[in-house]
Amino acid sequence: MTKTARFDVTRKAALLAAATPLALMLGAAPAFAQTTAQTPAQLEIKDQQTDPTTTQGASDQDKASDIVVTGSLFRRTDTETPSPVTVLTSDTLAKAGITTASDAIRSISADSAGSIGTGFQSGFSAGGSAVSLRGLGVSSTLVLIDGLRSANFPLNDDGHNAYVDLNSIPFSLVDRIEVLKDGASSTYGADAIGGVVNVILKKHFTGIDGLVEGGVAERGDASHQRAQLTLGYGDYDRQGFNVYLNGEYQRDGRVSNHSRGFPYNTQDLTPIGGLDNNASDQSLTVNVPTAYVTRVRQTDLNNPLAGQVGAPLTTRYDALGLANCARDTFAVTTGSAQGTGCKYDLVDLYRQIQPLQERYSLQGRVSVRIADNVEGYITGSYSRSDVSINGTPSAIRNTQPFGGAPSVASNNPGIVLPVYICAAGTNCATAANRQLNPNNPYAAAFANDPTNGAARIYYLFGDIPGGSDRKNEVYRATAGLNGNFGDGRYNWRVEGVYARDEIQLTQRGLINIAGLAQAINTGAYNFVNPSQNSAAVRNAISPNKVTPSFSTQAALDASLSARLADLPGGPLQLAIGGQVRRETLENNNQNAALDTYGLSTASAFGSHTVSAAYFEADAPILDQVELNVSGRYDHYSEGFSHFSPKVGVKFTPIKELAIRGTYAEGFRAPTFAESGPRSQYAGFVSTTPPCNFILQHGGTGTAASCSANGNPYNLNYNLGRGLAGNPNLQPEISRSFTGGVIFQPVRWLSLTVDYYNVRKKNLIVTGPDFGKAVAAYYNSANLAAAQTAVAGVGQGYSVNTTDAVDPLFPNALPRVLIINVPYVNANYALTSGIDFSATATVPLGDGIKFTSRIEATHVIKYNLVTSAGVQHYAGTMGPYDLSSGNGTPSWRGNWQNTLDFGDYSLSATAFYVSRIKAVSEDQGLPLDCANGNLYTRSSPQNEAFCYVSPFINVDLNGTVKVNDKFTFFLNVKNVFDAKAPVAPAAYSSAPNFLTTWHYAGLIGRQYRAGASFRF
C-alpha cells in the first residue's frame, strides 16, 4: 500500500472515531438501522411498532397489539421470528437524511455485489435502481409493497436480470421498510433467494401533513428540492373509514466529472504513478471533436463505408480545422501516423457523475370497516421518474449494430470522405453538378484519380450532444378484504394488485447510418468547422430515437389462518392460501431496423401465468421453543414447477437470550430476457488486451510485463458478449440456512449475531467459458485461426464481430469486439457471512435519551464453482460481469449515535465499506495483484493500484420542534467531505471510482434544510 493510501485509511478511521464524540456532544435522532433485536423472549413490543411518534406525520396508525412481520402469514405479538429481519422506520430514515426508497433500501449492510444506484449511467438499466441482498443479483431479491408484488422495470439489468425499480416507489408515505435477510420462496415464490424487501405504507391518516426541503452541494451543484403533502379525513376507529391523498416531488441536479476534478475526470493517472489510458491527447487514430484524416483508397465511390482495408497510402494525418482548436496541440513525428492534433480529455469534457433526476408521485387510499369483523381497502398510485443522462458524443468509427451486416460497419474497413460531392449524393464522381469535397484535403490533388484520394476519418460529433432521457411511469392499484370469524379464531384475506411499468427511452446524439452516408456524399455536414452545421443537418444525421417498453403484473392472493389449539408456549396456528398472477414484458429493440450506430439491440418479450398454493404452521411447543414450518408450490405456464419448503426454530432458554435458525429452499425462474425465443442482447465489459497481443501491436516489454507504447489499439476497450434467449432453461435452485442469537442482558441493550449460508445452483449464466473463448482468440496467430479456436471452446461460442485492423499494424490480429455465447444452466454459487447488530438505548434524565446502534455484514465467502474450478469473489471486484462491476466488499456497515433532548435532536450516522481488491476471477485472472490486477493485468509496477481503500462517510442531522405543528431540520451529508477512494479498475464509463459504494465521496459535502408541518 502506498503512503497516500495508508494516509487515506488512517484519516478515514479517525473520522469514524470522531463521529461518536461529536454525536455525543450534539445529540442524535432515532436509529438509522433498527433490527428486530429488542425482544428475544417475547417481551413487550418496542416503540417502533406502537408509539405513534415513530411515524413521521404521526398518522392514525393501527395500534393493535399484533403486527404483521415480513416472511410470515400470521399476525403476532412478537417481532422476533426465527428469521433475521431489519426494520427501518420513516422517522429513523428522515433523521438520517434519507429521502428516497432507493437510498434507504440500498443502505442495508446485506446489500452487496450487483447493487444498482442511479449513478451507474452506462448499463442496460441506466436510470434504474435495485437492491442485491447477499450479492446474489437483483433478480434474486424480491421487492414487495405492502406484501404485494409490483411490475418489474422494463429494462433488464445486464440485459437479462429482472427487478423492481426502487426509484418508482413513493417515499413520503413509507411507514417502515422491513428487510428479511433470509430465503422466503416458501411464502412469496420465485426470486426471494437472497431475501425480501417489504415497503410498508401508512394505512390511515387524518389531517394535513407536509414537508419542504432544499439543498445544494458545497461545490455549488447537486441541487436538491423536495416537497410532499398528505391530506386525510376520517377517524377509522370511531367512524369506520379513512381516506387520504398524497403527493410528492423531488429533484436532484447534475454533477459533472469536470466539477470534481482529478482523478474522477480522466483516465490519465500518470500524476499519481498510474497509466495514461487517455489517447485523445496524443494519438491521431482516435475519435475526438477535431477530425483527423489520412489518404486511402475507396473501392466504391458511392459508399463512404468502402474505404480500403489495412494501412493508409501515407503516414501523414491531417487535422481538419486545426485553427479551431481552443486547447493545446500535440505533434507526432515518428511512426506510421504523423501529424499535429488537438488535445482532449473526453471524460472531463463530457461525462457526468450524477444525472438530472425528477420524481413525481400521487397516491391515495380508502379504508372502510364494512362490518365489525370485515375490513376493506382500495389504493391507487402513479409515480414518474425522469432521468436525464449526458454522455460522450458519438464517434464516427464504431462497430456495426449487433446482428447487422459487416458491410454497414463504420470502422471495417473504414469510413471515408470522397473526393467529389453532389446534390443527389450518388454517382458524384460523374455527376454534372459535382464539386470537390471541401472536407477532403486531398480532393484537389486527386481530382483525376478519386479512387486513390479518399480520406479515412476519425471524428467525434462534438456539436451533437449525446445522452438519453428516460421517463419511467408506474401505475399501481390494489384492493383487499380481510376479516375474521369464529370469535376471532379464523382470519381470512383476499387481495388483488395490478401494476404497469412504462418506460419511454429517448436516445440523443446517436448516428443514423443512412443519414451519415448521405451527409458525407452531399457535403452537407461540415467536418472542418462543425459549429457551422445547421440544426437540420444535425437532426438528419442524428435523429432522436424514442423507444417505448412496458411490463405488467396482475395477481390475486387469498389466505385463511386459524388458531387450532393452545400449546404451552401459545396458540398453534395454521394458514393456507393460493395465488394466481400474470406477468408480461415487452422490452422493445431500440435498434430494430439496425440503422443506427452505437444503439443497443437488447430486447425481451414474454408472458406467463403462475399459479401457487402455500401453507404455514406455527407451533410454540413450549414457552422456550417455537417451531415454524411453511411451504409453497408454484407452477409456471412454461411447463415447470417448484416446491419450496422452509423450517424455522427459535429457542429461548432464558428471557435474556434467544437462539434462532432456519433452513429454506427456493428458486428463481428464468426471466423473459433469458428464456424468450425473441429475446437477445449484447453486453460489454471493460477489457485490456493481453501482453502477447500488445507486443504484436507495437508494445514494449515482455510477455509477462508490457506497455501499450502509445498505441490506442492496445488500451482498455469494451468487449461484448452476444446472446439470444433459450426456452429450454430451467429455474435456478437454492438452499439456505441461518443461525443466530439474540441477546438482551439488560433492558437498554440488545445484540444479534446471525450466520447465513446460501447455495444457488443450476445458475443461469452467460457463457461460463467466455474467459476461455477470449484467451483462445488472443492466443491465435491470425483471424481465421482465432475464429476456429473460439468455436472449439464449445457449442454456442463463436466470433461475432472484430474491430477494424490496427492502422499502425495492419497485418497483426485485430481486436475481437463481440463473441457469441450461450445462456445455459451451469455451475453453482455459494455465499456465507455474518450479520451483526447492537442497540443501546440509555435514558440520561428527564426527556433526554441516548441511542447508539450499529449494523454490519461480513462476507466470509462468495464463490462461483464452475467446471474449470472455483472463482473467489469475497473482498474483490468480482463478479466483475455483474451489474456495475463494483465488486463484493468484505465488510459493510452503518453506525448511528443519537441524542434526543426535549424539542431538539441531532444525529450522526457513519457508513463504512471495507477495502476491495481490484482482481476478479470471472475475467480469467488470478487473485494476485501482480498478474490479476484489473487495472493492468501486465504491469507489476502498478500493484499499488490493486486495492481500493476503505471508505467512511458521516452524515449529520438536526431537528428543532417549534411546536406541535412545525418542525425545522438541517442535514449535512458527508460532513467531513470524505473523498471517494481511487479505483482505477472501475469501468471506463465511471473512471477511477465505484458508484455503488462511494457515491457520497463523489458528491462531497451537501447541505439540506427544510421544515415539516402538521394540522
Side-chain angles (χ1 to χ4, degrees):
M1 183 179 292
T2 65
K3 289 183 179 180
T4 301
R6 284 197 296 268
F7 172 77
D8 287 344
V9 173
T10 303
R11 181 171 68 88
K12 289 166 184 171
L15 295 182
L16 178 61
T20 302
L22 181 62
L24 287 169
M25 290 185 293
L26 297 180
F32 166 69
Q34 295 196 16
T35 66
T36 57
Q38 301 96 331
T39 56
Q42 298 191 358
L43 301 177
E44 74 281 359
I45 298 172
K46 292 296 178 179
D47 59 357
Q48 71 176 32
Q49 281 81 34
T50 60
D51 185 351
T53 63
T54 63
T55 299
Q56 188 181 32
S59 67
D60 296 333
Q61 282 298 105
D62 300 296
K63 301 178 180 65
S65 61
D66 57 344
I67 59 172
V68 175
V69 177
T70 298
S72 175
L73 299 173
F74 303 117
R75 298 184 70 89
R76 50 192 291 139
T77 58
D78 176 17
T79 62
E80 288 299 345
T81 68
S83 296
V85 179
T86 293
V87 180
L88 309 173
T89 69
S90 60
D91 185 63
T92 62
L93 294 172
K95 290 184 177 179
I98 289 177
T99 62
T100 68
S102 172
D103 289 344
I105 295 167
R106 295 181 61 251
S107 68
I108 293 292
S109 63
D111 183 36
S112 191
S115 180
I116 304 172
T118 307
F120 182 56
Q121 304 164 56
S122 60
F124 290 93
S125 288
S129 179
V131 59
S132 175
L133 294 178
R134 304 303 184 206
L136 294 172
V138 297
S139 60
S140 290
T141 299
L142 181 62
V143 175
L144 307 172
I145 302 175
D146 283 332
L148 299 173
R149 291 177 180 250
S150 192
N152 285 326
F153 194 49
L155 306 182
N156 294 310
D157 169 46
D158 281 342
H160 64 101
N161 293 315
Y163 66 91
V164 172
D165 179 21
L166 302 181
N167 288 328
S168 69
I169 300 175
F171 188 69
S172 60
L173 278 178
V174 170
D175 178 56
R176 66 186 187 276
I177 298 173
E178 296 184 350
V179 181
L180 175 66
K181 297 178 290 186
D182 191 10
S185 288
S186 65
T187 301
Y188 301 113
D191 311 330
I193 291 177
V196 178
V197 174
N198 191 7
V199 181
I200 300 173
L201 306 180
K202 295 178 175 70
K203 302 299 183 292
H204 309 136
F205 181 86
T206 57
I208 302 173
D209 185 277
L211 177 147
V212 291
E213 180 184 50
V216 68
E218 189 172 84
R219 292 164 178 80
D221 52 14
S223 60
H224 170 81
Q225 298 92 39
R226 181 167 66 112
Q228 63 190 53
L229 181 66
T230 306
L231 308 174
Y233 178 75
D235 187 319
Y236 191 81
D237 291 334
R238 292 190 302 105
Q239 298 172 283
F241 77 93
N242 179 260
V243 58
Y244 68 69
L245 186 66
N246 166 270
E248 65 178 67
Y249 169 80
Q250 181 166 327
R251 184 184 191 276
D252 293 285
R254 299 185 196 274
V255 175
S256 68
N257 290 64
H258 173 79
S259 68
R260 294 306 182 261
F262 184 86
Y264 313 119
N265 66 333
T266 183
Q267 290 183 277
D268 180 2
L269 293 184
T270 53
I272 56 175
L275 300 178
D276 184 359
N277 280 325
N278 174 36
S280 299
D281 60 358
Q282 58 188 296
S283 173
L284 297 166
T285 58
V286 295
N287 297 292
V288 295
T290 295
Y292 302 141
V293 297
T294 187
R295 188 169 65 86
V296 296
R297 295 184 183 89
Q298 185 175 7
T299 58
D300 180 353
L301 298 181
N302 278 324
N303 184 9
L305 299 174
Q308 76 178 70
V309 176
L313 300 175
T314 176
T315 60
R316 173 186 169 189
Y317 281 67
D318 295 282
L320 303 184
L322 188 61
N324 299 321
C325 175
R327 54 193 69 236
D328 292 339
T329 60
F330 65 90
V332 180
T333 58
T334 60
S336 56
Q338 302 177 29
T340 301
C342 186
K343 289 186 176 182
Y344 290 94
D345 193 319
L346 302 181
V347 174
D348 182 79
L349 193 59
Y350 295 111
R351 299 293 302 180
Q352 65 179 21
I353 290 172
Q354 176 169 292
L356 172 65
Q357 183 164 11
E358 288 189 288
R359 302 182 184 92
Y360 316 77
S361 73
L362 182 68
Q363 52 192 327
R365 178 181 174 111
V366 177
S367 302
V368 179
R369 186 184 301 116
I370 300 172
D372 289 342
N373 58 352
V374 179
E375 297 179 319
Y377 73 89
I378 298 175
T379 74
S381 67
Y382 166 79
S383 67
R384 172 172 165 175
S385 174
D386 290 347
V387 179
S388 179
I389 298 172
N390 289 339
T392 304
S394 292
I396 201 168
R397 294 171 65 85
N398 293 287
T399 65
Q400 76 262 25
F402 177 59
S407 61
V408 300
S410 66
N411 66 333
N412 192 5
I415 196 165
V416 297
L417 306 178
V419 169
Y420 287 105
I421 58 174
C422 61
T426 57
N427 300 318
C428 292
T430 58
N433 63 349
R434 72 176 187 177
Q435 55 181 298
L436 292 175
N437 189 349
N439 290 311
N440 183 345
Y442 319 117
F446 287 86
N448 295 324
D449 187 13
T451 296
N452 289 306
R456 176 185 292 170
I457 182 170
Y458 298 79
Y459 178 65
L460 191 82
F461 289 87
D463 62 322
I464 304 178
S468 62
D469 297 317
R470 298 157 189 264
K471 180 176 72 174
N472 187 37
E473 298 175 288
V474 178
Y475 306 84
R476 191 171 186 270
T478 67
L481 292 170
N482 66 83
N484 62 80
F485 59 92
D487 295 327
R489 294 181 64 86
Y490 300 92
N491 292 275
W492 59 271
R493 68 172 183 92
V494 178
E495 293 183 288
V497 58
Y498 174 80
R500 181 181 175 94
D501 190 324
E502 296 181 351
I503 189 166
Q504 179 176 286
L505 177 57
T506 301
Q507 298 278 14
R508 298 179 273 107
L510 298 175
I511 305 303
N512 179 269
I513 298 173
L516 175 62
Q518 183 71 3
I520 288 175
N521 284 347
T522 62
Y525 188 88
N526 188 334
F527 289 97
V528 177
N529 188 358
S531 65
Q532 299 299 312
N533 289 311
S534 67
V537 168
R538 292 173 179 146
N539 290 337
I541 291 178
S542 178
N544 285 351
K545 295 284 289 189
V546 180
T547 308
S549 295
F550 71 88
S551 68
T552 67
Q553 163 86 227
L556 182 65
D557 203 316
S559 67
L560 173 67
S561 63
R563 287 179 290 171
L564 301 180
D566 291 326
L567 300 178
L572 171 64
Q573 299 183 84
L574 175 67
I576 59 173
Q579 182 187 80
V580 176
R581 73 175 188 269
R582 177 75 173 172
E583 298 172 330
T584 67
L585 173 66
E586 183 179 300
N587 176 15
N588 290 303
N589 187 339
Q590 302 167 37
N591 201 9
L594 299 176
D595 61 356
T596 302
Y597 290 131
L599 185 59
S600 171
T601 58
S603 59
F605 304 90
S607 62
H608 61 211
T609 300
V610 183
S611 54
Y614 51 86
F615 75 92
E616 180 181 356
D618 190 75
I621 300 170
L622 301 170
D623 285 338
Q624 297 83 12
V625 180
E626 176 186 353
L627 175 66
N628 185 279
V629 180
S630 57
R632 176 174 170 130
Y633 177 82
D634 288 88
H635 176 73
Y636 282 69
S637 57
E638 290 96 323
F640 57 82
S641 302
H642 188 78
F643 177 70
S644 305
K646 183 174 182 177
V647 178
V649 178
K650 187 174 73 170
F651 173 52
T652 310
I654 57 176
K655 69 176 184 178
E656 293 84 8
L657 177 68
I659 303 170
R660 62 186 176 188
T662 65
Y663 173 85
E665 296 181 3
F667 74 106
R668 179 180 81 83
T671 66
F672 295 130
E674 294 165 338
S675 62
R678 297 170 56 202
S679 303
Q680 66 169 21
Y681 92 99
F684 296 83
V685 174
S686 297
T687 301
T688 300
C691 264
N692 63 316
F693 178 89
I694 290 174
L695 296 177
Q696 294 174 30
H697 292 262
T700 58
T702 67
S705 176
C706 59
S707 171
N709 199 30
N711 185 356
Y713 206 82
N714 289 331
L715 298 181
N716 186 277
Y717 76 106
N718 289 324
L719 175 58
R721 305 182 186 196
L723 295 109
N726 179 3
N728 297 318
L729 290 174
Q730 294 298 307
E732 297 180 343
I733 307 299
S734 71
R735 71 100 186 102
S736 63
F737 60 85
T738 66
V741 297
I742 311 164
F743 183 47
Q744 190 170 12
V746 291
R747 185 178 182 85
W748 54 268
L749 175 65
S750 63
L751 308 96
T752 68
V753 180
D754 287 282
Y755 171 80
Y756 69 88
N757 185 295
V758 184
R759 173 175 171 167
K760 186 167 69 164
K761 64 179 182 179
N762 215 27
L763 298 183
I764 299 172
V765 296
T766 56
D769 292 324
F770 179 70
K772 289 183 180 179
V774 174
Y777 181 91
Y778 280 119
N779 287 329
S780 300
N782 54 58
L783 180 57
Q787 291 171 328
T788 301
V790 171
V793 170
Q795 185 175 0
Y797 291 86
S798 63
V799 174
N800 179 288
T801 307
T802 59
D803 202 351
V805 297
D806 182 354
L808 305 182
F809 296 89
N811 296 320
L813 181 71
R815 292 187 301 198
V816 60
L817 297 179
I818 299 178
I819 294 177
N820 290 328
V821 299
Y823 278 120
V824 295
N825 291 106
N827 310 334
Y828 71 86
L830 179 65
T831 181
S832 63
I834 300 178
D835 293 322
F836 303 87
S837 71
T839 302
T841 304
V842 184
L844 300 179
D846 187 20
I848 303 176
K849 180 179 68 174
F850 172 69
T851 304
S852 181
R853 288 184 175 92
I854 189 168
E855 181 207 23
T857 295
H858 173 46
V859 180
I860 298 173
K861 180 187 297 183
Y862 183 6
N863 293 347
L864 178 67
V865 181
T866 73
S867 59
V870 181
Q871 298 177 4
H872 306 81
Y873 297 147
T876 78
M877 292 284 281
Y880 197 60
D881 285 346
L882 182 64
S883 300
S884 55
N886 276 204
T888 307
S890 292
W891 285 92
R892 278 197 74 198
N894 55 76
W895 181 22
Q896 187 174 73
N897 292 282
T898 71
L899 188 68
D900 290 303
F901 48 103
D903 294 330
Y904 303 91
S905 69
L906 288 162
S907 67
T909 306
F911 300 87
Y912 172 78
V913 179
S914 64
R915 78 171 187 173
I916 301 172
K917 193 175 184 180
V919 297
S920 182
E921 289 188 307
D922 68 340
Q923 300 304 301
L925 302 175
L927 289 178
D928 63 282
C929 289
N931 300 296
N933 190 344
L934 283 167
Y935 179 44
T936 166
R937 66 177 70 186
S938 54
S939 299
Q941 67 270 23
N942 285 287
E943 287 187 43
F945 294 100
C946 195
Y947 287 94
V948 181
S949 298
F951 179 64
I952 301 170
N953 72 285
V954 180
D955 294 344
L956 291 182
N957 190 84
T959 63
V960 178
K961 184 179 179 181
V962 179
N963 52 45
D964 290 340
K965 296 181 179 180
F966 291 96
T967 299
F968 293 95
F969 57 89
L970 173 67
N971 178 259
V972 184
K973 301 183 77 65
N974 193 359
V975 65
F976 296 111
D977 199 25
K979 302 296 189 297
V982 179
Y987 286 170
S988 59
S989 58
N992 309 321
F993 55 83
L994 302 180
T995 58
T996 300
W997 315 122
H998 306 147
Y999 203 61
L1002 299 169
I1003 305 302
R1005 188 182 292 117
Q1006 289 179 280
Y1007 302 96
R1008 296 178 180 181
S1012 61
F1013 57 88
R1014 176 179 168 82
F1015 300 97

